[in-house]
Amino acid sequence: MALSESPQRQALRELGESVCAACQSAKKPKQSFCPRCYYTLPEEMRTALYRRFGSGYESAYDDAKDWLRQEKLS
């Protein structure tokens, strides 16, 4: 049985990538999302990504990814 990646490890891996997990556009490593996706997020979600870094970042990141996916479907 293969072990799945923990949410924290996945969030940190995606943070280091150069592709936005929400839209697959280019982004800079160490930024959560590409600029378009980031500025689409409500201000509270953008703030939470940095206020919670180191403690709760993966939760804030997952919430933001879910929100962006829902917006894309709307």
Side-chain angles (χ1 to χ4, degrees), residues 2-38:
L3 297 176
S4 62
E5 189 174 36
S6 73
Q8 181 179 18
R9 194 168 285 249
Q10 179 182 356
L12 294 177
R13 178 180 50 77
E14 290 177 359
L15 182 64
E17 293 179 349
S18 58
V19 175
C20 178
C23 72
Q24 306 307 306
S25 293
K27 73 168 189 77
K28 292 181 181 179
K30 299 184 182 176
Q31 291 183 347
S32 300
F33 301 101
C34 69
R36 184 176 61 94
C37 287
Y38 179 75

Side-chain angles (χ1 to χ4, degrees), residues 23-69:
C23 72
Q24 306 307 306
S25 293
K27 73 168 189 77
K28 292 181 181 179
K30 299 184 182 176
Q31 291 183 347
S32 300
F33 301 101
C34 69
R36 184 176 61 94
C37 287
Y38 179 75
Y39 288 108
T40 299
L41 292 169
E43 183 178 350
E44 307 83 48
M45 286 187 151
R46 292 193 312 257
T47 303
L49 290 168
Y50 295 96
R51 185 178 51 217
R52 294 164 127 190
F53 199 81
S55 177
Y57 171 77
E58 66 275 359
S59 175
Y61 179 69
D62 285 342
D63 290 347
K65 275 198 316 187
D66 290 344
W67 190 90
L68 288 165
R69 288 183 181 137

